[in-house]
């Protein structure tokens, strides 16, 4: 899944509860309804370390008790897709899967107790975690789980045979990388600033360090496969400006989309605005041109020809050739995750546990009620 919500590390982690994937990872806005089938009743130079400096729990997880499961649909906490058809939903102490894009769901064995997030790399290999507990990994399609080799995981994304994570003691967690299915993590060093977001596309991971005390200007670290980290400058961190937050997302074709929430400290009173940029060479250079979102976003993502942005409010915005428009509304709430598997299919997860799917690139969305299988 191409994600632009990436999950937030450190101080930002409390804002969101999935990503992913290059990521950040997400969904698109729409105004109509999908076909009936979609509405079931329903991601310094590296120093290599064979094992992480943090230790995972060694006892097996205890699945949630069946007696604790109430009636009614699943209150979705996280969602992960590896293709247009195959996906997983975590919530209400249950883990369920679909092979037909959400038309029907099958219950899997209970997830590790306390798990709040999931990411799957393939139908067999997946990860489950909470910020306060250990990372768990399955290599048999969620039939069983065992320690994944990290603790205090703040975000995790996977693509192209790699899994990336921000994990460790706050306020200075580390960036980690491992081959999918392995628990031998490589420590790539500290995040750029005290809080950071993780976005993944293919074998490239983007870590945006957000503004810290001082303030510390935002920064971007780019990890391409096993190559040394590239420290790239952000186009908005210039002059007398304060940039408290810089959401970054990737498109399904690898384009990097960046929105800077900028405050110019020279005017009185200071002027707040947003600036939008794009990069076609993995953050090596940036170009402006498209108008920024109408509201300061918490997350952004993209597909070919369209851009998406969301914040703490109820609206998911979509940018097309006709400008920004509201694509989806989660009334009274907001969105914690928006991501696309293809240029046409994506998901959006509301902070109220509602799951939405689009099959036409965000033109319309349908709420998917995930039943207790």
């Amino acid at each position: 899944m191409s994600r632009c919500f990436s999950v937030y590390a450190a101080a930002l982690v409390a804002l969101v509860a999935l990503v992913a994937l290059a990521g950040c990872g997400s969904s698109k806005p729409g105004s109509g309804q999908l076909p009936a089938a979609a509405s079931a009743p329903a991601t310094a130079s590296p120093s290599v370390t064979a094992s992480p400096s943090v230790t995972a729990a060694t006892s097996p997880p205890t699945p949630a008790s069946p007696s604790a499961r109430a009636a009614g649909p699943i209150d979705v906490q996280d969602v992960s897709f590896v293709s247009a058809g195959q996906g997983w939903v975590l919530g209400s102490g249950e883990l369920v899967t679909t092979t037909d894009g959400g038309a029907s769901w099958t219950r899997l064995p209970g997830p590790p107790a306390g798990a709040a997030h999931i990411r799957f790399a393939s139908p067999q290999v997946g990860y489950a975690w909470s910020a306060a507990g250990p990372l768990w990994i399955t290599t048999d399609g969620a039939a069983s789980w065992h320690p994944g080799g990290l603790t205090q995981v703040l975000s995790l994304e996977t693509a192209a045979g790699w899994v990336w994570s921000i994990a460790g003691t706050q306020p200075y967690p580390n960036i980690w990388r491992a081959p999918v299915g392995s628990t031998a993590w490589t420590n790539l060093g500290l995040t750029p600033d005290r809080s950071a977001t993780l976005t993944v596309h293919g074998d490239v991971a983007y870590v945006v360090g957000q503004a810290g005390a001082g303030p510390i200007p935002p920064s971007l670290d780019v990890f391409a496969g096993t190559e040394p980290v590239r420290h790239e400058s952000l186009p908005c961190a210039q002059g007398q400006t304060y940039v408290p937050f810089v959401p970054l997302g990737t498109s399904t074709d690898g384009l990097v989309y960046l929105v800077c929430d900028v405050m110019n400290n020279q005017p009185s009173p200071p002027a707040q605005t947003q600036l939008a940029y794009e990069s076609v060479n993995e953050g090596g250079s940036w170009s402006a041109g498209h108008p920024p979102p109408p509201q300061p976003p918490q997350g952004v993502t993209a597909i070919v020809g369209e851009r998406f942005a969301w914040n703490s409010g109820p609206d998911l915005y979509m940018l097309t050739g006709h400008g920004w428009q509201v694509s989806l509304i989660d009334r009274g709430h907001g969105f914690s995750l928006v991501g696309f598997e293809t240029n046409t299919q994506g998901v959006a997860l509301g902070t109220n546990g509602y799951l939405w799917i689009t099959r036409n690139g965000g033109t319309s969305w349908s709420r998917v009620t995930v039943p207790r299988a």
Side-chain angles (χ1 to χ4, degrees):
M1 176 183 293
S2 174
R3 302 179 187 285
C4 177
F5 131 91
S6 307
V7 184
Y8 303 101
L12 296 174
V13 70
L15 296 176
V16 258
L18 122 129
V19 228
L21 76 148
C24 124
S26 305
S27 7
K28 299 195 173 188
S31 55
Q33 291 294 317
L34 292 179
S39 183
T43 189
S45 304
S47 58
V48 176
T49 308
S51 58
S53 59
V54 287
T55 4
T58 54
S59 57
T62 302
S65 169
S67 62
R69 300 184 182 116
I74 288 177
D75 183 14
V76 181
Q77 289 179 272
D78 208 350
V79 57
S80 179
F81 273 81
V82 296
S83 67
Q86 181 102 48
W88 295 260
V89 157
L90 172 70
S92 305
E94 296 189 49
L95 181 63
V96 297
T97 186
T98 179
T99 56
D100 52 18
S104 61
W105 299 86
T106 301
R107 181 195 286 180
L108 296 170
H117 303 284
I118 54 167
R119 289 294 181 276
F120 276 78
S122 70
Q124 296 301 312
V125 181
Y127 302 83
W129 75 94
S130 67
L135 174 68
W136 298 96
I137 182 174
T138 179
T139 56
D140 55 13
S144 63
W145 296 84
H146 57 273
L150 294 176
T151 61
Q152 295 180 281
V153 174
L154 301 176
S155 58
L156 182 147
E157 301 293 348
T158 176
W162 292 102
V163 57
W164 309 79
S165 181
I166 295 178
T169 305
Q170 298 183 44
Y172 299 106
N174 288 295
I175 305 166
W176 303 88
R177 180 188 62 224
V180 162
S182 171
T183 58
W185 292 88
T186 297
N187 186 348
L188 303 178
L190 295 172
T191 54
D193 295 321
R194 286 198 232 184
S195 63
T197 57
L198 172 66
T199 306
V200 173
H201 180 83
D203 66 347
V204 183
Y206 302 90
V207 179
V208 180
Q210 309 297 341
I216 300 170
S219 58
L220 173 63
D221 282 357
V222 180
F223 302 86
T226 58
E227 296 176 8
V229 61
R230 287 193 284 114
H231 303 289
E232 301 288 358
S233 59
L234 291 174
C236 48
Q238 302 174 12
Q240 299 297 316
T241 58
Y242 172 49
V243 187
F245 187 50
V246 187
L248 177 148
T250 57
S251 173
T252 47
D253 62 354
L255 176 142
V256 183
Y257 182 55
L258 178 78
V259 176
C260 298
D261 185 11
V262 174
M263 177 175 287
N264 191 325
N265 293 325
Q266 289 182 331
S268 183
Q272 188 103 22
T273 187
Q274 287 78 51
L275 300 173
Y277 301 91
E278 296 181 354
S279 174
V280 295
N281 57 1
E282 300 175 355
S285 61
W286 300 90
S287 61
H290 293 298
Q295 299 291 331
Q298 283 187 347
V300 296
T301 192
I303 59 172
V304 174
E306 297 176 5
R307 312 289 178 259
F308 300 86
W310 63 97
N311 57 24
S312 57
D315 299 329
L316 173 62
Y317 296 96
M318 176 174 64
L319 174 66
T320 66
H322 302 290
W324 287 96
Q325 58 184 307
V326 174
S327 170
L328 179 62
I329 301 176
D330 190 19
R331 299 192 182 280
H333 300 275
F335 296 94
S336 60
L337 168 68
V338 180
F340 284 86
E341 293 74 57
T342 68
N343 281 322
T344 56
Q345 181 164 316
V347 299
L349 178 59
T351 55
N352 56 352
Y354 286 7
L355 177 63
W356 307 81
I357 290 183
T358 179
R359 300 185 193 283
N360 53 16
T363 300
S364 62
W365 294 85
S366 178
R367 184 185 164 197
V368 176
T369 302
V370 183
R372 296 173 185 272

